[in-house]
Amino acid sequence: MLTQQVRRTVFLLHSTCNKITACKNIACYSTTGRTGSNKIYATPEEALADIKDGATIHFGGFGLCGNPENLIDALTKMNVRNLTAVANNAGTDNDGLGKLLQTRQLSKMIISFFGNNSELTRQYLSGELAIDITPQGTLAEKIRAAGAGIPAFFTPTGYRTLIQEGGAPIKYAKDGSIEISSKPRIVQEFNGRKYIMEEALYADYAIVKAHVADTMGNLIFNKAARNFNAPMCRAAKVTIVEVEEIVPAGSLNPDHIHVPGIYVKRLIKGTNYKKPLDNLTLRENVDDKSKPPTAAQRVRERIAKRVAMEFRHGMYANLGTGIPVLSSNYIPKGMSVMLQSENGILGLGPLPTKDQLDPDLINAGSYTTTIVPGASFFASDESFAMIRGGHMDLTILGAMEVSETGDLANWMIPGKLVKGMGGAMDLVASGSKVIICMEHNARNGSSKIKHKCSLPLTGSEVVDLIITEKAVFEVEKGVGLTLTEVAEGFTVDDIIACTEAKFKVSPNIKKMSQIDE
Amino acid sequence: MLTQQVRRTVFLLHSTCNKITACKNIACYSTTGRTGSNKIYATPEEALADIKDGATIHFGGFGLCGNPENLIDALTKMNVRNLTAVANNAGTDNDGLGKLLQTRQLSKMIISFFGNNSELTRQYLSGELAIDITPQGTLAEKIRAAGAGIPAFFTPTGYRTLIQEGGAPIKYAKDGSIEISSKPRIVQEFNGRKYIMEEALYADYAIVKAHVADTMGNLIFNKAARNFNAPMCRAAKVTIVEVEEIVPAGSLNPDHIHVPGIYVKRLIKGTNYKKPLDNLTLRENVDDKSKPPTAAQRVRERIAKRVAMEFRHGMYANLGTGIPVLSSNYIPKGMSVMLQSENGILGLGPLPTKDQLDPDLINAGSYTTTIVPGASFFASDESFAMIRGGHMDLTILGAMEVSETGDLANWMIPGKLVKGMGGAMDLVASGSKVIICMEHNARNGSSKIKHKCSLPLTGSEVVDLIITEKAVFEVEKGVGLTLTEVAEGFTVDDIIACTEAKFKVSPNIKKMSQIDE
């Protein structure tokens, strides 16, 4: 922080500066040290007062983490409707943007996944609400681009999926037919690889939550609550921010400011923060060793223990929820693997104890978490720049289907289930090694390893390795599978019998290994 | 900072985590808390050892501010040649990248301006060195794109200039003819405005300087020394960083980290920092009121005092060097105008006293500076996102020529002088109000306000207002000029006589005003 001493000196210097007339070519840059406090509004209602029907609004937060509670509450009491809400997801039925779904003030959402919100799914499938489902990294970059004066950019994310091809249902008609569907994207090749063009996503307002602001509107966020809040500040005509504390200009270290005040038009001090959690899970709750694991749990553990053999010292990895996350429990002692969470953390730690619980610190699955020494926090645009830029060594995800050429489907079952792709499309397009771990067969016994995926793709020719409880396959992308390991209790013929995809059998085939515990 | 207590807790939690086998679906994310200290190299020579002839290298720093002194020194002693250096500018003859020009190790540079380096100009004009001169914001964004997995993007910067049209001399032949010239860019329209496509700028190595690192490679920069260092960390295959201090992992507050360790492959502790300055100017040196101002100084002051009338309370403004900066001395008392410096400062203060001098704190003209309370620091990519994104209210620049349709030329006289455009092309393309202030006529008496610019443009149809010591013109972009004010001692006929451009005379024409002091 600037010490009181330094601050006083700067002020003094400034106040004498205007009097100097003998400055020559090299002038003293001078600005007055006023507080800029005309940005501070007394109430959320005043800060929101000019929002009109039909406005497009960027809403900060990652689900409930870092959502602007006071401003959303005030908005629910206003007579504005037909809003387009841009956000990572819609919160829950009763919190976050869920509140604006309850009041029927939204006519469209642009989000990356559906999350824990049954009302959202109901309004979407009944044709009350349009939803433009967008890969999380593309969403973050479209918002970043809007703030940065970049009208369009190219990304590998979504190439050869519904995102590029178009036709994803945005709005259903009352009769269940598709009234509006997404448009195809322009494809262009750079350095021998295909990319799709995405355009900037502007908004009339950004409604965001930061931790601390100074009177000039400079913002500092707390831990994983930075997420979409930071890029959204830069991408709207009018940015309205609520914070837990407002301090005098000059109190914040200028090197620690995450969003400079130039982006912030209106500021309020929020009150009574509830900070609800999507998923409250404590170490204490999962540490119960009294119950023996179920058969299903044993299957998942077997897969996770094989997956864990893929970790190497010094790796940076992103693990999807479920079995991928479970595999991190088996990282060998003494091996350093830094886990990334796409909501803005590098260096995830274990579940928190009750004492460690911090609602501003959740992982990408919206579970409470901790960090390890050497961790860092960043915003969603930076997080996906890190992913898309090919800086991750390893991505481990679950799947609904994988094809023999390495296609992956894990975000949607048309007419039945739309989870949203979240960050998965960005992760598999990033060029990191992609491991898919899943149960070999679906509940009805059908093969999840297909000749060709029947579901909409998350990525085309993106998978490097498939690990199930029965077998391990190496994928030559675009070519085919090679069976390299078979689990104890299974033969190659067993694997052929339960697998739809054709595959070669490695001449060096061996028993499926498990990490030493 | 994480307290010792918190750190110990995290470590303890971690060390118990691998033993837990009863974790269910919701696993504890776990990573080991190892130091990642295999990133730390003993000497600059070891960290650079594998660099080969012909490598492309991103060099951090803004001129000398934040330049990687130890690594550059070590590179000069290596037998590698034919390097392509990407940097904002080339330092001075004897410092920064100037050292690699002295040793003739560079065959090409990609820079935004020439700066104080006569050897650079000599090598360029004699055909020894290729130079791809690139607008500063485009350079920063091309580097950011390379780190973020974006192969190409669209920008308004450079539209209808040599940058878009191609033909700028990159390499001269020995006979003075142009051997290699720049290629034209693709133009595309979005929302009724034209943009040009620029591609990502990758490098084999990034050689950068940060202030502090932890053993995991997490970086914190100091003040304006962040500049190009931060985005370059993310844009190379191998990023090599020198820092003034290396601290244990967990010592840095994860919310304060500017560049996460994932981007850093090699780390050295630098020694004997010289931190030379391009332009050391102290308040004491310009505060000398003993000499009466010269006639030229009085002309400049008259222009500056008229320019200052354009400031409004709460504005964010970027002022070029010379008269624009001088105008900031006349910002009325009590008015808050935050001055941006495109090397990464919002909230410039006056020149430093000797006690305040900090070589990590310079302005975009490479002069030492201070900041005001409420200031913030950021990297070059963020700085130009702020500019290009239209967040600045006001840009004030000097000019070589302005045309009657609002074209501006201020970066190059073919065959005579190449200054480079620095950030000017980005500033005038940003959509902020653009004021040009300059002496009305060139030294030879010719008009600088032209029917059509004869010099290569900085921007086409970008100027809003022209202020000289003789007159003020409003510009209807693409249409024409209106004379609105005439200085004391001049008539409308005088202005017609000394101005090449045609202009209308406002029915409300008045005497040129000056700010009250």
Side-chain angles (χ1 to χ4, degrees):
Chain A
M1 296 228 182
L2 286 175
T3 63
Q4 203 64 31
Q5 180 61 43
V6 172
R7 264 189 277 160
R8 206 170 299 130
T9 314
V10 174
F11 265 116
L12 273 174
L13 272 169
H14 172 258
S15 62
T16 58
C17 181
N18 287 336
K19 294 173 198 151
I20 297 160
T21 52
C23 282
K24 295 182 192 144
N25 297 356
I26 306 140
C28 68
Y29 270 24
S30 88
T31 66
T32 68
R34 290 289 296 282
T35 59
S37 58
N38 51 355
K39 291 185 178 181
I40 301 172
Y41 284 63
T43 64
E45 289 73 17
E46 285 174 45
L48 299 170
D50 61 355
I51 297 182
K52 301 278 187 306
D53 284 2
T56 295
I57 306 179
H58 287 329
F59 285 96
F62 189 91
L64 303 181
C65 183
N67 93 84
E69 297 180 28
N70 286 267
L71 291 165
I72 288 175
D73 280 345
L75 197 54
T76 60
K77 289 169 199 136
M78 286 171 65
N79 187 25
V80 288
R81 303 177 67 81
N82 200 24
L83 300 173
T84 293
V86 180
N88 183 56
N89 64 73
T92 56
D93 282 335
N94 299 310
D95 279 307
L97 289 182
K99 292 184 178 182
L100 293 169
L101 288 168
Q102 297 280 2
T103 56
R104 305 287 195 283
Q105 287 172 281
L106 307 182
S107 61
K108 183 175 180 182
M109 297 198 78
I110 302 174
I111 54 177
S112 86
F113 69 88
F114 276 65
N116 303 323
N117 195 316
S118 57
E119 177 63 14
L120 177 75
T121 308
R122 193 199 63 72
Q123 290 190 16
Y124 175 54
L125 294 178
S126 68
E128 295 169 40
L129 180 72
I131 295 188
D132 192 345
I133 190 96
T134 303
Q136 195 172 127
T138 296
L139 184 65
E141 188 68 12
K142 282 163 75 80
I143 293 165
R144 190 263 172 193
I150 303 292
F153 59 90
F154 290 89
T155 174
T157 303
Y159 174 60
R160 289 175 96 184
T161 72
L162 268 185
I163 297 297
Q164 177 233 311
E165 291 157 4
I170 289 179
K171 190 166 190 300
Y172 287 100
K174 298 285 174 208
D175 66 3
S177 63
I178 297 174
E179 190 177 305
I180 305 170
S181 60
S182 69
K183 294 203 178 108
R185 302 293 197 276
I186 289 165
V187 175
Q188 194 161 333
E189 186 171 313
F190 296 93
N191 306 314
R193 193 176 173 198
K194 298 273 178 51
Y195 296 84
I196 69 175
M197 193 177 85
E198 292 283 355
E199 296 194 30
L201 182 50
Y202 306 92
D204 299 305
Y205 297 88
I207 293 182
V208 306
K209 155 81 171 52
H211 194 59
V212 180
D214 70 15
T215 48
M216 301 291 293
N218 292 302
L219 304 180
I220 290 180
F221 298 89
N222 187 41
K223 303 188 180 76
R226 197 180 320 174
N227 55 57
F228 277 85
N229 280 301
M232 284 177 169
C233 284
R234 302 170 168 99
K237 287 180 204 146
V238 178
T239 292
I240 307 169
V241 183
E242 64 173 87
V243 292
E244 297 179 39
E245 193 187 354
I246 300 176
V247 300
S251 316
L252 303 177
N253 182 329
D255 272 326
H256 296 171
I257 289 166
H258 297 133
V259 171
I262 191 171
Y263 298 108
V264 176
K265 290 281 191 299
R266 303 174 192 170
L267 197 60
I268 64 147
K269 187 178 175 316
T271 52
N272 299 319
Y273 279 101
K274 194 174 142 193
K275 295 198 183 180
L277 289 164
D278 281 84
N279 299 296
L280 168 56
T281 310
L282 298 173
R283 278 189 78 69
E284 293 89 327
N285 304 354
V286 295
D287 240 2
D288 176 9
K289 296 180 190 174
S290 59
K291 286 189 210 160
T294 63
Q297 278 168 7
R298 277 199 301 264
V299 163
R300 296 165 70 84
E301 273 170 29
R302 185 193 290 184
I303 301 171
K305 286 182 187 176
R306 175 60 189 81
V307 170
M309 297 192 71
E310 300 296 318
F311 292 115
R312 298 288 176 275
H313 184 71
M315 266 189 173
Y316 293 91
N318 185 298
L319 314 185
T321 48
I323 304 173
V325 164
L326 191 63
S327 72
S328 71
N329 287 334
Y330 304 103
I331 295 173
K333 258 189 163 173
M335 182 185 283
S336 169
V337 177
M338 286 294 268
L339 300 182
Q340 203 248 23
S341 188
E342 63 264 30
N343 57 320
I345 309 172
L346 193 63
L348 283 172
L351 285 167
T353 61
K354 199 176 167 192
D355 291 346
Q356 290 175 314
L357 189 71
D358 183 342
D360 288 342
L361 182 48
I362 63 159
N363 67 24
S366 291
Y367 287 94
T368 49
T369 187
T370 58
I371 54 167
V372 296
S376 53
F377 297 115
F378 34 83
S380 296
D381 52 338
E382 164 79 35
S383 182
F384 282 93
M386 189 182 285
I387 290 168
R388 198 191 311 103
H391 304 281
M392 305 300 302
D393 300 302
L394 184 61
T395 298
I396 309 178
L397 295 173
M400 295 171 181
E401 295 178 348
V402 183
S403 84
E404 62 191 40
T405 53
D407 295 352
L408 168 67
N410 70 355
W411 71 281
M412 180 185 189
I413 303 173
K416 280 196 188 167
L417 170 74
V418 192
K419 276 171 45 177
M421 69 292 285
M425 278 193 186
D426 301 280
L427 281 161
V428 300
S430 73
S432 82
K433 181 172 183 176
V434 174
I435 298 177
I436 297 301
C437 56
M438 59 181 187
E439 289 164 60
H440 201 98
N441 297 86
R443 280 184 201 171
N444 65 6
S446 67
S447 173
K448 294 172 75 175
I449 306 174
K450 301 273 191 185
H451 171 59
K452 203 169 180 298
C453 291
S454 60
L455 300 173
L457 297 188
T458 306
S460 169
E461 302 178 7
V462 293
V463 177
D464 291 280
L465 195 69
I466 305 167
I467 298 173
T468 75
E469 79 282 13
K470 296 177 184 170
V472 177
F473 297 90
E474 284 176 6
V475 188
E476 191 180 349
K477 290 174 199 169
V479 179
L481 303 178
T482 303
L483 178 69
T484 57
E485 297 177 34
V486 176
E488 186 155 339
F490 296 93
T491 64
V492 171
D493 284 344
D494 290 338
I495 305 303
I496 292 171
C498 69
T499 307
E500 180 192 304
K502 293 269 181 291
F503 54 85
K504 285 193 268 187
V505 178
S506 169
N508 305 315
I509 190 159
K510 55 181 186 175
K511 200 181 89 174
M512 187 163 137
S513 38
Q514 296 274 282
I515 198 123
D516 291 332
E517 276 188 88
Chain B
M1 297 230 181
L2 286 175
T3 62
Q4 203 63 32
Q5 180 62 44
V6 171
R7 265 190 275 160
R8 205 169 300 130
T9 312
V10 174
F11 266 117
L12 273 174
L13 271 169
H14 171 259
S15 63
T16 56
C17 182
N18 287 334
K19 294 175 197 149
I20 296 159
T21 51
C23 284
K24 295 185 192 140
N25 297 357
I26 308 140
C28 66
Y29 269 24
S30 89
T31 67
T32 70
R34 289 290 295 282
T35 59
S37 59
N38 50 355
K39 292 184 178 182
I40 302 174
Y41 284 63
T43 64
E45 289 73 17
E46 286 174 45
L48 299 170
D50 61 355
I51 297 183
K52 299 280 186 303
D53 284 3
T56 295
I57 306 179
H58 287 328
F59 285 96
F62 188 90
L64 303 181
C65 181
N67 92 84
E69 297 180 29
N70 286 266
L71 291 165
I72 288 174
D73 280 345
L75 197 53
T76 60
K77 289 167 201 140
M78 286 171 63
N79 187 26
V80 289
R81 302 178 67 80
N82 200 24
L83 300 174
T84 293
V86 180
N88 183 56
N89 64 74
T92 56
D93 281 335
N94 299 310
D95 279 307
L97 289 183
K99 293 184 178 182
L100 293 169
L101 288 168
Q102 299 279 4
T103 56
R104 304 287 196 282
Q105 287 174 281
L106 306 182
S107 60
K108 183 175 181 183
M109 298 197 76
I110 303 173
I111 55 178
S112 86
F113 69 90
F114 276 65
N116 302 324
N117 196 316
S118 57
E119 177 63 15
L120 177 74
T121 308
R122 194 199 62 71
Q123 290 191 17
Y124 174 54
L125 294 177
S126 68
E128 295 169 40
L129 181 72
I131 295 189
D132 192 347
I133 190 95
T134 304
Q136 195 172 129
T138 296
L139 184 64
E141 188 68 11
K142 282 163 74 81
I143 293 165
R144 190 263 173 194
I150 303 293
F153 59 90
F154 290 90
T155 174
T157 302
Y159 174 61
R160 289 175 96 183
T161 72
L162 269 186
I163 297 298
Q164 175 232 312
E165 291 156 3
I170 289 179
K171 189 165 191 301
Y172 288 101
K174 299 285 173 203
D175 65 3
S177 64
I178 296 173
E179 191 178 306
I180 304 170
S181 60
S182 69
K183 295 205 178 107
R185 304 293 198 274
I186 289 165
V187 174
Q188 194 161 332
E189 185 171 314
F190 296 93
N191 306 313
R193 193 176 172 198
K194 297 272 177 52
Y195 296 83
I196 69 174
M197 193 177 85
E198 292 282 357
E199 296 193 31
L201 182 49
Y202 306 90
D204 300 306
Y205 297 88
I207 293 182
V208 307
K209 154 81 170 54
H211 193 59
V212 181
D214 70 16
T215 48
M216 299 293 293
N218 292 301
L219 304 180
I220 291 180
F221 298 89
N222 187 42
K223 302 188 181 72
R226 197 181 320 177
N227 54 57
F228 277 85
N229 280 302
M232 284 177 169
C233 285
R234 301 170 169 99
K237 285 179 207 149
V238 178
T239 292
I240 307 169
V241 184
E242 64 174 87
V243 293
E244 297 180 39
E245 193 188 354
I246 300 176
V247 299
S251 315
L252 303 175
N253 181 328
D255 272 326
H256 296 169
I257 290 166
H258 297 134
V259 171
I262 189 171
Y263 297 108
V264 176
K265 290 281 191 298
R266 302 173 193 171
L267 197 60
I268 65 146
K269 187 179 176 312
T271 52
N272 299 317
Y273 280 101
K274 193 174 142 193
K275 295 197 183 182
L277 289 163
D278 281 84
N279 299 296
L280 168 57
T281 310
L282 298 174
R283 278 189 78 71
E284 294 88 328
N285 304 354
V286 296
D287 241 4
D288 176 9
K289 296 180 190 174
S290 59
K291 287 187 208 159
T294 64
Q297 277 169 7
R298 276 199 300 268
V299 163
R300 297 166 68 83
E301 273 170 28
R302 185 194 290 185
I303 301 171
K305 285 181 187 175
R306 175 60 188 81
V307 170
M309 298 191 70
E310 300 297 319
F311 292 115
R312 298 287 177 274
H313 183 70
M315 264 188 174
Y316 293 90
N318 184 298
L319 314 184
T321 49
I323 304 173
V325 164
L326 191 63
S327 73
S328 70
N329 287 334
Y330 304 103
I331 294 173
K333 258 189 161 172
M335 183 187 282
S336 170
V337 177
M338 286 293 267
L339 299 182
Q340 204 247 23
S341 188
E342 63 265 29
N343 57 320
I345 309 172
L346 193 63
L348 283 172
L351 285 166
T353 61
K354 200 176 167 193
D355 290 345
Q356 289 176 314
L357 189 69
D358 183 342
D360 287 343
L361 182 49
I362 63 160
N363 68 25
S366 291
Y367 287 95
T368 48
T369 187
T370 59
I371 53 166
V372 297
S376 53
F377 297 115
F378 34 83
S380 296
D381 53 336
E382 165 78 34
S383 182
F384 282 94
M386 190 183 283
I387 289 168
R388 197 189 310 104
H391 303 282
M392 305 300 301
D393 299 304
L394 184 61
T395 298
I396 309 180
L397 295 173
M400 296 170 180
E401 295 178 349
V402 184
S403 85
E404 62 191 40
T405 51
D407 294 352
L408 167 67
N410 70 354
W411 72 280
M412 179 184 191
I413 303 173
K416 278 195 189 169
L417 170 74
V418 193
K419 277 171 45 178
M421 69 293 282
M425 278 195 186
D426 301 279
L427 282 160
V428 300
S430 72
S432 82
K433 181 172 183 175
V434 174
I435 298 177
I436 296 302
C437 56
M438 59 180 187
E439 288 164 60
H440 201 97
N441 297 88
R443 281 182 199 173
N444 66 5
S446 68
S447 173
K448 295 173 74 174
I449 306 175
K450 302 274 193 187
H451 171 59
K452 201 166 180 299
C453 291
S454 61
L455 299 174
L457 297 188
T458 305
S460 170
E461 302 179 4
V462 293
V463 178
D464 291 280
L465 195 69
I466 305 168
I467 298 173
T468 76
E469 79 282 13
K470 297 177 183 171
V472 177
F473 297 91
E474 284 176 7
V475 187
E476 192 180 347
K477 290 174 199 168
V479 179
L481 303 178
T482 303
L483 178 69
T484 57
E485 296 177 35
V486 176
E488 189 154 341
F490 296 93
T491 64
V492 171
D493 284 345
D494 291 337
I495 304 303
I496 291 170
C498 69
T499 307
E500 181 192 302
K502 294 269 180 293
F503 53 85
K504 284 194 270 187
V505 178
S506 168
N508 305 314
I509 191 160
K510 55 181 187 175
K511 199 181 87 174
M512 186 164 135
S513 37
Q514 295 276 282
I515 197 125
D516 292 331
E517 278 189 86

